[in-house]
């Protein structure tokens, strides 16, 4: 089996790995770089014709964002829920909807693609339906970690993996997102710890609580729902969030029709719904719908899953007195151009920002436990801005360059 990491040996974002064996080629992820443009075809691997299949580890654009440029008919293997989430999100985000036809990834169920046998392992990550991938070809075994962590709501899955990892791994491609952000012994709070922090903040608020979190971070939405329930508050979601939650297809994930959840569609989203002709979607989620007056009445007993398109409605509904704002995403995004508008809005309204968040990625110590459990003959850094830190923390590290072909 031959490997080429097209992008990812020295960076986070835009992950793309090509594997070749007996004349058959497959791709693991076709991601968009963090600063890349969806339309930029120069970011693709050099040869995309004749790819037998693309396997997408999870539904984050830095792992699938260039899929739409692949030749039509290229099969895409991805988790069924991940596929639905991408399809549900695209109309709202305006991002290109890639073709996604192909096999479903299922936990520990091998797929045969020509000479490649691919076994997905469901992992704990901030994206829903995320997998690590064991790829076997000839007599070689490569494991690609994808993105993962051990402190989320699937932490038990991570511990189970460590106890029964796949054996005889020749090459491990392992993400190291946190190595550039954390010291070796720093740890992250769990989602359960976040739930407690949120509950405290909600209880200390007389008015509306706004929480700015990604609707696609399903673990976080669950955390929010659970905190609301304990505080006796109603969770207010918009149609985008309702569509994403529905797309999980999971009965135990909060939905728009659950007790303690209401739908509020901000004006800008109502225009979006008209443009998209998304009336059936709206109808499905409108069983517990409130309008501005309803929101006003509910404010002191509600938590809003905030998105910047809510700003005008919140002013118009006059719900900012005694309100609290909690930012629940990576703090790095705060420096983005796109964040300045809502940050300014918040400042104008005289509302302080609190931060409650935990990473979607494993801490350095969990990365070490993962690497020790898999005990690979060679460990190749990927998805990290600090590959140079690997040799201090892991055994058998071997560096590779973007675009270089090598043997497993
Ligand atoms: Zn990810």
């Amino acid at each position: 089996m031959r490997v080429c990491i097209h992008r990812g040996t020295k960076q986070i974002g835009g992950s793309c790995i090509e594997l070749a064996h007996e004349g058959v080629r497959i791709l693991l992820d076709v991601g968009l770089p963090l600063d890349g443009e969806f339309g930029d075809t120069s970011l693709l691997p050099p040869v995309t014709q004749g790819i037998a299949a693309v396997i997408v580890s999870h539904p984050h654009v830095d792992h699938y964002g260039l899929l739409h440029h692949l030749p039509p008919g290229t099969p895409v293997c991805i988790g069924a829920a991940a596929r639905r989430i991408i399809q549900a999100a695209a109309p709202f985000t305006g991002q290109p909807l890639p073709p996604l036809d192909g096999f479903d990834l299922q936990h520990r169920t091998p797929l045969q693609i020509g000479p490649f046998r691919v076994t997905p392992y469901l992992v704990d990550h901030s994206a829903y339906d995320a997998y690590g991938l064991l790829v076997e070809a000839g007599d070689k075994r490569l494991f690609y970690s994808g993105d993962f962590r051990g402190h989320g709501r699937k932490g038990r899955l991570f511990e189970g993996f460590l106890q029964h990892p796949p054996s005889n791994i020749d090459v491990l491609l392992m993400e190291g997102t946190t190595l550039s952000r954390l010291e070796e012994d720093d740890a992250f709070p769990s989602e359960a710890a976040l739930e407690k922090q949120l509950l405290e903040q909600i209880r200390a608020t007389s008015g509306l609580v706004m929480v700015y979190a990604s609707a696609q971070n399903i673990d976080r939405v669950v955390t929010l729902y659970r905190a609301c329930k304990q505080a006796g508050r109603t969770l207010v979601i918009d149609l985008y969030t309702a569509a994403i939650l529905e797309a999980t297809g999971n009965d135990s994930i909060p939905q728009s029709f659950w007790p303690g959840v209401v739908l509020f569609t901000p004006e800008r989203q109502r225009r979006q719904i008209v443009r998209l002709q998304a009336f059936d979607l709206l109808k499905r989620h409108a069983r517990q719908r409130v309008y501005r007056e309803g929101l006003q009445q509910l404010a002191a007993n509600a938590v809003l899953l905030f998105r910047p398109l809510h700003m005008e409605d919140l002013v118009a509904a006059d719900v900012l007195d005694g309100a609290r704002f909690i930012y629940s995403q990576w703090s790095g995004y705060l420096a983005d151009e796109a964040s300045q508008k809502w940050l300014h809005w918040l400042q104008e309204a005289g509302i302080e920002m609190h931060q409650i968040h935990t990473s979607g990625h494993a801490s350095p110590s969990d990365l070490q436990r993962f690497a020790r459990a898999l005990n690979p003959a060679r460990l190749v850094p990927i998805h990290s801005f600090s590959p140079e830190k690997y040799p201090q923390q892991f055994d058998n590290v071997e560096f590779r360059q973007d675009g270089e072909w090598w043997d497993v």
Side-chain angles (χ1 to χ4, degrees):
M1 177 162 37
R2 308 256 300 150
V3 186
C4 175
I5 300 174
H6 289 294
R7 189 168 38 245
T9 61
K10 293 180 187 64
Q11 74 186 78
I12 294 171
S15 297
C16 185
I17 302 148
E18 185 171 342
L19 303 178
H21 187 65
E22 293 176 349
V24 180
R25 297 147 57 220
I26 61 173
L27 293 177
L28 310 182
D29 289 338
V30 196
L32 182 71
L34 295 181
D35 56 356
E37 302 283 342
F38 282 99
D40 188 351
T41 51
S42 73
L43 297 170
L44 286 168
V47 184
T48 56
Q49 289 293 339
I51 295 287
V54 184
I55 298 149
V56 175
S57 62
H58 65 281
H60 274 158
V61 287
D62 66 326
H63 292 260
Y64 78 81
L66 294 171
L67 260 186
H68 59 290
H69 292 301
L70 293 185
T74 308
V76 177
C77 307
I78 182 171
R83 182 184 287 118
R84 289 193 300 267
I85 287 171
I86 294 172
Q87 287 165 339
F92 289 96
T93 59
Q95 289 165 0
L97 177 61
L100 291 167
D101 289 341
F103 294 115
D104 295 347
L105 299 183
Q106 286 177 334
H107 185 43
R108 292 186 185 246
T109 306
L111 284 173
Q112 195 73 36
I113 303 163
F116 297 100
R117 184 182 158 95
V118 180
T119 310
Y121 289 78
L122 187 67
V123 295
D124 183 20
H125 182 42
S126 49
Y128 194 74
D129 206 16
Y131 296 89
L133 302 166
L134 172 65
V135 184
E136 298 163 273
D139 56 353
K140 298 293 182 183
R141 289 159 68 84
L142 173 145
F143 196 91
Y144 169 46
S145 72
D147 289 356
F148 71 99
R149 63 176 172 180
H151 57 276
R153 294 206 170 268
K154 287 193 172 67
R156 241 181 277 161
L157 201 63
F158 177 68
E159 297 301 330
F161 181 90
L162 296 189
Q163 270 161 24
H164 304 284
S167 55
N168 301 317
I169 299 299
D170 296 295
V171 169
L172 169 61
L173 307 178
M174 188 181 76
E175 73 126 312
T177 307
T178 62
L179 297 180
S180 56
R181 298 177 185 167
L182 284 191
E183 295 306 317
E184 204 173 327
D185 50 359
D186 284 350
F188 291 116
S190 63
E191 284 290 333
L194 254 57
E195 187 180 315
K196 276 192 189 148
Q197 291 177 35
L198 269 166
L199 183 59
E200 280 170 25
Q201 296 265 346
I202 294 169
R203 286 191 167 142
T205 310
S206 60
L208 178 70
V209 177
M210 299 172 273
V211 180
Y212 190 5
S214 163
Q216 293 193 38
N217 185 342
I218 303 295
D219 271 15
R220 191 61 43 80
V221 179
V222 170
T223 296
L224 198 51
Y225 176 78
R226 289 171 59 98
C228 282
K229 209 173 160 192
Q230 291 163 71
R233 290 214 182 202
T234 300
L235 177 62
V236 183
I237 60 172
D238 67 350
L239 189 60
Y240 165 70
T241 303
I244 299 295
L245 294 174
E246 180 185 38
T248 63
N250 185 336
D251 285 347
S252 52
I253 302 291
Q255 301 290 333
S256 63
F257 53 83
W258 274 28
V261 180
V262 298
L263 180 81
F264 173 74
T265 52
E267 185 55 35
R268 273 168 61 195
Q269 186 164 72
R270 284 159 77 168
R271 291 201 290 271
Q272 211 172 22
I273 291 163
V274 173
R275 199 174 65 241
L276 299 168
Q277 300 280 295
F279 305 116
D280 286 345
L281 181 73
L282 177 61
K283 200 174 162 195
R284 273 210 306 282
H285 295 288
R287 260 191 267 175
Q288 300 173 157
R289 186 177 184 185
V290 296
Y291 298 86
R292 277 186 190 166
E293 313 74 54
L295 186 65
Q296 198 172 30
Q297 285 161 17
L298 203 59
N301 293 304
V303 175
L304 172 75
L305 181 49
F306 174 90
R307 297 173 64 222
L309 83 171
H310 281 108
M311 290 187 289
E312 291 149 39
D313 295 73
L314 297 175
V315 172
D318 192 20
V319 291
L320 296 177
D321 264 2
R324 183 179 294 250
F325 189 95
I326 297 165
Y327 183 71
S328 190
Q329 300 186 62
W330 179 51
S331 59
Y333 296 134
L334 292 171
D336 287 356
E337 180 73 32
S339 299
Q340 302 318 305
K341 200 175 164 198
W342 66 262
L343 279 167
H344 180 73
W345 173 82
L346 208 56
Q347 209 174 19
E348 291 275 284
I351 298 172
E352 200 185 332
M353 182 179 74
H354 302 265
Q355 295 197 45
I356 296 181
H357 184 55
T358 195
S359 178
H361 299 272
S363 64
S365 62
D366 278 347
L367 289 173
Q368 286 174 12
R369 293 171 66 213
F370 184 83
R372 270 201 304 272
L374 279 170
N375 189 28
R378 292 138 76 200
L379 191 166
V380 177
I382 193 164
H383 202 277
S384 178
F385 283 123
S386 297
E388 76 286 352
K389 289 193 181 166
Y390 276 66
Q392 306 152 24
Q393 303 198 25
F394 314 110
D395 294 331
N396 308 327
V397 174
E398 184 175 285
F399 293 109
R400 289 293 167 185
Q401 304 296 323
D402 281 3
E404 171 196 359
W405 280 98
W406 44 282
D407 289 313
V408 170

